[in-house]
Amino acid sequence: MNARLVAGFAALVLTIVLAGCTPESPDAGTPSESASPSSSESPDPGETKSPSSTPSPTPTSGVALPTDCRAILSEGVLAQLEGVPLNDAAFGPSGVQDDGSLICAWADPRADTTRLVTIISAMSRGPALDMLNALANTEGFSCFTPDGGTRCEKTWPNTQYPVTDGRTLFWRDDILIDTRFSNLAPNGYTSSIVAYLFK
């Protein structure tokens, strides 16, 4: 079986898995979880099923968007981030945004590359699946379906420093957790946020 056939088959399977684990009604959900986050450039979804991938102002699932970057993390994860500044003004907007999303930027402005930025926002099923399918099909992300949701992740070497960069996304019940990191990936980070939001 040649590589193109295998890649095409993998893409088809992912599309079926993502579609099958997506809720058919607002009451159903398909979350996924991961132990460590990752970061990358923002992809441009190649599909046009949903004309807009702009997050909805509020999730329709009844799960509230969080408002505190520390409260969403377990004590074990917070211990791994001890000493890392949170939401320093040097990194731009952070905290609760006008649309209700939450930006958490763990980074020291004195460091060249070590950082972890998470955006938690409302995103409906169609745009979320379009984006995750695009990441799997065109960006080489690995996707799976833990914790009732869909998780996609990828890591790669930093182009300037000898560290690992990456991105991890988790979608469930109209909420997207999108984390990008460079040289800072606390064990259990995304899982901790998922456990807090969907407890």
Side-chain angles (χ1 to χ4, degrees), residues 70-136:
R70 292 183 184 276
I72 59 177
L73 301 174
S74 67
E75 289 183 17
V77 172
L78 286 171
Q80 296 173 68
L81 290 167
E82 187 174 355
V84 180
L86 172 62
N87 295 340
D88 190 287
F91 299 104
S94 61
V96 178
Q97 303 300 295
D98 290 342
D99 64 356
S101 62
L102 177 66
I103 300 175
C104 303
W106 296 89
D108 190 327
R110 298 169 297 178
D112 290 333
T113 187
T114 302
R115 65 183 50 108
L116 171 71
V117 179
T118 297
I119 301 174
I120 304 173
S121 60
M123 181 176 282
S124 60
R125 175 179 178 263
L129 292 185
D130 285 348
M131 181 181 70
L132 296 176
N133 276 316
L135 288 173

Side-chain angles (χ1 to χ4, degrees), residues 8-181:
F9 180 73
L12 176 62
V13 168
L14 175 65
T15 301
I16 292 169
V17 168
L18 291 178
C21 69
T22 307
E24 292 300 320
S25 68
D27 298 332
T30 53
S32 71
E33 245 226 53
S34 104
S36 64
S38 52
S39 93
S40 96
E41 302 141 89
S42 204
D44 178 11
E47 299 184 19
T48 57
K49 287 182 190 173
S50 299
S52 169
S53 62
T54 304
S56 321
T58 54
T60 59
S61 63
V63 177
L65 289 170
T67 58
D68 186 325
C69 293
R70 292 183 184 276
I72 59 177
L73 301 174
S74 67
E75 289 183 17
V77 172
L78 286 171
Q80 296 173 68
L81 290 167
E82 187 174 355
V84 180
L86 172 62
N87 295 340
D88 190 287
F91 299 104
S94 61
V96 178
Q97 303 300 295
D98 290 342
D99 64 356
S101 62
L102 177 66
I103 300 175
C104 303
W106 296 89
D108 190 327
R110 298 169 297 178
D112 290 333
T113 187
T114 302
R115 65 183 50 108
L116 171 71
V117 179
T118 297
I119 301 174
I120 304 173
S121 60
M123 181 176 282
S124 60
R125 175 179 178 263
L129 292 185
D130 285 348
M131 181 181 70
L132 296 176
N133 276 316
L135 288 173
N137 295 334
T138 65
E139 301 284 331
F141 277 67
S142 297
C143 297
F144 52 105
T145 56
D147 303 315
T150 300
R151 174 180 174 147
C152 294
E153 57 188 26
K154 180 181 176 182
T155 60
W156 56 89
N158 184 287
T159 56
Q160 189 173 358
Y161 301 97
V163 300
T164 299
D165 292 352
R167 183 179 182 189
T168 297
L169 303 97
F170 180 92
W171 180 85
R172 173 180 171 179
D173 296 346
D174 293 339
I175 293 181
L176 179 69
I177 304 165
D178 187 350
T179 300
R180 299 166 190 255
F181 74 89

